[in-house]
Amino acid sequence: MQTVIIGHNFKNLGHLLLFFIAILSLSQSANLVRAAAAPALMIGFWRLLGAAFLMLGLRFWNSKKNGQSFFEPVSKSAWSWAFLSGSFFFLHLWTFFYAAQNTSIANCMVIFATNPIFTALVAWLLLKDRFEKRYAVAFVLAFSGVAALASDRLAWDTARSGDLSALVSAVFIALYMVTGKRARLEMSNDQFSWVIYIWTAVLFLVAGTFQQTQWLGYPTFTWWAILGTILFPTLLGHVLMTHLLKHFNINWMSCGKLLEPALSSAVAFLVFDEKLKIQTLIAFGFTVAAVFVLFWPLLFRKSAPLQELETEL
């Protein structure tokens, strides 16, 4: 019995480690988009196309290794949820890229970090997920941070439109996560990933064609930055997050993403010399408080084994 418990604890500890790797990878998305210095639709198309081919290869390898069919036998409903999730993913990325290029990295990430509020509301309405009281406290603290950032804007300008785009992107990522969780009830992670990545790449191609986006002819550094968005935010970020949807409560995962602003802003300070304003520091303070509230059971329940936390979180 003791061996089983220890093994289960290590398994869940591994899930927690993967979760923090995903958060670290996702936190650098805005910095890589800023570094690419190219149109949002161009970045989105090549990023998702590259990720789709990688996931197709992974799916092919897994199907051969396990003696399975390349296409899993899933219901039409699961396919519908997958394509709907991919559509929301496209809208999230488009609005997020715009925000990353038109406001500060700190503002983009702190405002985007409000997505747990929308995720919780949608999950509660559609998935009937449990809504813990401490989530509400964390959400209030997070929105207080956004209010602190908003106090720095007195007139509508490009930066304000970037701030608004970050908030809209937060709504779309919430819809992506919830609809993705419905699809993942029947689909494996690798099949779900390549389906939504190809679909999202197609949507970027269509939107870019209508806007006469230039697809080639960019400097080498742009392509390196796009490759970085494929390897880190997409593969180590979104793929791990969709995989972990089966193991953790969706509200807890979304709240844990509140760590992203501090990580991304630290890199923006070092790479782009973005100075942190007092409003940003105040917003970070609220974010830290929100995360502290979120992890309260982990910090103070001395006897709480990880297998209990898996179901609670």
Side-chain angles (χ1 to χ4, degrees), residues 118-131 178 250-251:
F118 305 111
T119 303
L121 290 174
V122 177
W124 175 57
L125 291 172
L126 296 182
L127 304 183
K128 308 303 179 183
D129 273 12
R130 185 172 54 185
F131 193 96
V178 172
I250 194 171
N251 293 327

Side-chain angles (χ1 to χ4, degrees), residues 208-225:
T209 300
F210 275 108
Q211 294 199 7
Q212 298 182 331
T213 298
Q214 179 183 340
W215 302 110
L216 300 171
Y218 295 91
T220 302
F221 189 79
T222 294
W223 298 107
W224 279 113

